[in-house]
Amino acid sequence: MLGITAVAVILATAGCGGPLADGGKPARESAAGHRPRVVATTTVVADLVRQVAGDRAEVDCLMAAGIDPHSYKATPRDAERLLDADLVVASGLHLEGRLATLLERLADRVAVLTVADRLPADRILEAAGGIPDPHVWFDAGLWSLLPMKVATALGEIDPAGAETYAARAEVYSARLREADAEARRRLAAIPAGRRVLVTAHDAFRYFGRAYGIEVVGVQGTSTASEAGLGDINRLVELVVSRGIPAVFVETSVADRNVAAIIEGAAARGHVVRLGGRLYSDSLGPPQSDGGTLEAALATNVETIVAALSDAEAAR
Amino acid sequence: MTLATFGQPALIAMAGLGLTYNTLVVLGGVAAVGCGAGVVGSLTLLRKRPLVGDAAAHATLVGVAGAFLATGRRDLPTLLAGAAVSAVAGLLVLVLLRRFTRTREDAATAIVIGVSFGLGLALLGGITARGIPGGGGLERFLLGQTAALTARDAALLAVISLLTIVIVTAVLKELLLVAFDPAFAAATGWPVGLLDAGLMALIAVMVVIGLPAAGAVLVTALVVIPPVAARQWTDRAGSMLVLAGLFGLTAAVAGVAVSSLRSGLATGPLVVLAAAAICLASVVIAPRRGWLARRLRSRIRGGDDQP
Amino acid sequence: MSSDALALHGWSMLTAATVSASCALVGTLLVVRRMSLLGDAIAHAVLPGIVVGVLAGGRLGGPLVLAGAVVAALMTVGLTRGLRAAVGLAEDAGSGVVFTTLFAAGVVTVSLFASRIDLDPECVLFGILELAAFDLVSVGGVEVPRALLTATAVLVIVAGGLAATWQLQISTAFDQEAAAAAGIPVAVVTTGLLSLTAVATVAGFEAVGAVLVVAMLVVPAATAELLVHRMHQVALVAVAVAVAAAGLGWLAAWRWNTSAAGMIAVVLGGFYATAVVLAPADGLLARLVAKLALDWRVAREDWLARIWRAGEQAGAAGASVVRPRPRTGLERAAAVWLRLTGRVERSAGRVRLSKDGAREAELVVRSHRLWETWLGRHADLPADHLHPPAEWVEHHLGAAMRERIEAELTAGEADPHGREIPPEAGRPDGPPPVV
Amino acid sequence: MNPGQQPLVEFHDVTVAYGRRPVLWNIDLAIAEPCLFGVIGPNGAGKSTLLKAALGLVPVVGGFVRFCGRPRRQVQGRVGYVPQRETVDWDFPVNVMDVVLMGTYGRLGWLRWPGRRERAVAAECLERVGLADLADRQIGRLSGGQQQRVFLARALAQEADIYLLDEPMAGVDVRSQEQIFGVLAALRDAGRLVIVVHHDLRTAAEWFDQVALIDRRLVAAGPTAEVLTADNIQKTYAGGIELLEQLGQAVAERGRTE
């Protein structure tokens, strides 16, 4: 029996080349010539790279839409994708948990760009305890600094396309700045006293800083640890005492904490609505109302504005 | 479906005591589970199988992932139903291994724990890698989300705990007989296999409803620790069950109370630590069976600890 | 496939295999000593040790964290034994108390210091085998995964430690009291095993996570125990199973794009299930086949013996006996088979045994009558109760047993019913007449 | 209780195997009348196995056991059982009274708890074995002899017609032995059949009305004086075993390597 097993292992190992080459993704030297392969860790970063690269590069996203990056665990195929990449783009600031530390080591062999590290240090927020807060993307103004960095990294692996990338980056940055202004304008419509965003975890502090909204999360910046009863009580107290009309859940995070807060507030006679589902650590599937960062930002803003400025709900 | 509908006076009284609504809900749910787990756990301890709960707990992961894959839903009842099915299946495998193979009982338990958990992880990994919508947060069941219990969850836990306690009480005589002397029980015509299977099913149910209250790893603690503590204080099975229930309940209350004091303190583990503190105290100071009492006795008798 | 990817698979499988092998080795002894659940306890209880190690400035996989974990593991064992010594608590219940408490303490510590450390409780439950090949260090010019280096060091320690004390370990595992009486330092041997277990377990969950270490410790040994019986064989087969499962598990995880650690455990489970069914001596299939084969032989022998007896009776009574008919479906099939193979011949409505058939039948009848005679003499059974047991035993007596029984009887003795016992060498006057 | 003149207990050609290996061969034994019946034989002769087979605790591979002509399941309440003392955990959290009350469970059936009547019965049984003053004591704090008497009291509380006792005198002090014997004799005098597995030949002769000598097979059975002859004892304690041992082995082997 063991002999058979050993043979099976050898055969299976030898056979690796076959199923992989035609399995799922095209091999590197296929159809569209020598398109560089870029692997992005999160959907947010993948969107950034796609916007800059357009069709010139093949962009592969490690984490599917709706997956929480904090609790993502790699599979052998993911590891293979990372190794096969010409460029790996990560978000950084420990968003990807243990993957991040390993990506640093991967940098010896594959070009790795950690986007959040390229932002000006003075604009990085600190979470409790002094570690940096990784959720930088929903500050569109801040995010607009990044397309150029991506273009540079792409240009290094694909010098022929450097100009194309730079041009696209320029355009995209401009769009992001526009989206930034638009978001600011729309959110300004919310009455000042109601500008409090309560979510499952602390993913919106950059957003809050950029657009003048106070942000409170049930859990800290990482979803990895469990929320305590003290956290829930604190938020219920806050929601009730401030008369906050709506709280929000996130597409990639379990929503039980938020449900508990709504109920806790209701028990104190304060009706707080579920304001809606926000895109936070993960964008939506392509073509959805959160398929790109711009779309997700607009959708989030729309959801927040609708929920917080709704006079009925505030009663 | 909130407690608010049950009347404002109660809530005002609660607030007077410094208890918030959420604290009360979590308290109710966790206390019910702590109590039920203590009672059922006492019987598995007496049956000399304290770790079947551990096997059941690890087997639940498959069911959580499977239920999500099968229904695409991730509300508590669906996931718990899946968990219950796989916990029972895990224990069934355990029974079959014991019956049909030469593998020792402890090894069989370890096999069920390791392999079923591995299968669960493989399923979860597959769900994550394929980005199946809503798959996020399933693994949170592992460590529980004690503080996030809603009134419905708590009511579900309370009802099932109560039901379990009622069933245990109803067949307590038979369960104790089988635990004490299975040969005599069989010789006098009691269906020992059936009663054992029933006990296994009860422990599986208790473990499953302990998942949202404490998580897969820590629910084992609720099943093992309070009974061990209770055993220290009494020489009667009946009072041991009552005490184990009370200890479980007390640990739940204490853990919940401590975790509501400040933010950043996970509730489930605190409940376990409270139970462990009760257990430690029981082991040290319990009269007669406690460590101090034994030391004293052996001092008096000149080293002979045997009665 | 790129050479990078090939190296990835190679390194990862090698790392997994090395870790599994260490676990399988200590697991062999744990399983025999009924300490299988120790792995489960240690795997959970190390969390606080890791947390303290990280807080003290270590990093995952580093020596400080490893030391913290080993200390926590030994503490689990120590506390469990302490509980037993202090209040007589059974070891499984005791470890249940200890490991859950330590794990809870670990989780609380993590949540208290969450802001200061990049660590979550799940890091103990899940390993990072998949990414091991990213973290390379140079050894003599070759880039080798750091995790593989750790795993190899652990394997050397574990294999070396066990090889050096193998005889002592086996003696202790087999019978502690006898070992102690023979002057073996049982406590030292046990502590050594526990330390090696702690080291192997900690290295294991770095790669595959805590709970799966439980599978790695126990399943290979449990599988091997079903296949072979001597301890060193069990150890070798366990290692082979572990290595094979590590490789196949990785490939399966790659094939279906899921967690490698999970798939390794699943493959281990598959091996174990296969062994349960297919094990040569005790497997379910072997038992089923043996039972069917026995039933088939009994049916054949019964049919031959019935014809033989009918012939004997016909010889005595002068040809006026009822020809026997098969009584069961199996016997009918046996009758057909025996006719086809030529041991029973049939012509013109009469049945006769061939020379071979008569010989086989004779031995069955001989066994039957020998046993009846022996039992009649040694057990207090009425004569009419002698037949049914002999009917069963006749199929189980071999030549040696027949000889032994005959030696206890008087030469030329008839059975309790007064019939002749055919001699072992065959009746001189050939088979009895045709029926 | 015995209208059809059936034997009280009948072992009909009973063969018992653990796994594939037979350990008790073709026991054929009928006990017709109430008496004190000793089952005697060397260690490992299968005496306890015989009782367990009668109670359905181990499967019978050949033959059958009947009580008053009926299978065990139909007479469950009428057969009392005293297992060996080592089979249970004496650290179990029950007191003496709890254990004795277990004897009444069979009559009570599901969902009913022992009431006043059962307590009275249990108290009386404790009285009979001389443990009335220890009713509230945890069973672990009893001497070996007292523990054995608790088991006996539990069997008495079953209020059975036939009692099966597995080595009740093993590891018991002389005083307890006499007390136990006294209780058993009283049972016999009250018209009950008492079957006792016993390993001590000396005491067997004075205690039992009838005995069966067993060593993997039944060597002899009947009135004590007739059965306990030097010849029979020789056969029980020296002869035949080896062959049966080897045969058991052979059966197990052939079953496996078929």
Side-chain angles (χ1 to χ4, degrees), chain B residues 48 173 181 231 235-237, chain D residues 89 91 93 98 109 112 154:
Chain B
K48 312 261 178 297
K173 178 181 76 180
D181 192 347
R231 180 67 189 89
D235 276 333
R236 301 292 298 279
Chain D
D89 167 21
D91 195 35
D98 294 334
R112 284 178 54 215
R154 180 175 68 175

Side-chain angles (χ1 to χ4, degrees), chain B residues 45 50 54 58 100 102-104 106-107 117-119 121-122 125-126 129-130 142 217 221 225 264 269 276 289 291 294, chain C residues 34-36 40 44 86-87 92-93 100-101 103 107-108 111-112 126 211-212 225 229 256-258 262 266 272 282 287:
Chain B
L45 182 68
D54 201 28
H58 286 92
F100 289 108
R102 287 191 294 129
T103 305
R104 295 170 192 79
D106 61 327
F117 198 77
L119 185 58
L121 280 192
R130 283 159 187 73
L142 279 182
V217 178
I225 299 180
R289 292 179 69 88
W291 176 76
R294 282 173 199 242
Chain C
R34 297 169 190 274
M35 287 156 60
S36 304
D40 183 38
H44 290 107
V87 292
D92 48 358
T100 55
T101 304
F103 187 80
V107 176
V108 169
S111 69
L112 277 177
F126 311 103
V211 185
L212 299 175
E225 277 205 322
H229 294 277
W256 286 293
N257 194 12
T258 183
V266 172
Y272 176 73
D282 283 303
R287 280 194 242 171

